[in-house]
Amino acid sequence: PDTQGHAASVAIDGVSRVECGGSVTAGDDVSADTDGRGVTSASGDVVLGKALDDASGAGSIIPVLLRAN
């Protein structure tokens, strides 16, 4: 949602559109940054899925294949 207090969709499996917090390359493992946006996973991060497309930077929206942890 774009404002506080509105409903949101939550996905836990399958492919979901994710707003990115920076550049991501297709095939990268994806984790969440402190704002909840998708970023390339670093060592020790909880991996939430795999990027199916490239993100050119913050605000880009890409499909991510979610992974149950």
Side-chain angles (χ1 to χ4, degrees):
D2 54 1
T3 58
Q4 194 173 24
H6 287 130
S9 297
V10 176
I12 58 171
D13 191 22
V15 176
S16 185
R17 292 169 41 107
V18 173
E19 180 179 349
C20 294
S23 297
V24 177
T25 301
D28 284 353
D29 286 335
V30 176
S31 296
D33 66 11
T34 57
D35 293 319
R37 299 176 300 179
V39 293
T40 299
S41 297
S43 179
D45 287 349
V46 174
V47 176
L48 302 174
K50 186 162 295 287
L52 299 179
D53 204 351
D54 296 334
S56 58
S60 298
I61 297 175
I62 61 168
V64 173
L65 177 60
L66 301 177
R67 178 168 90 184
N69 288 312

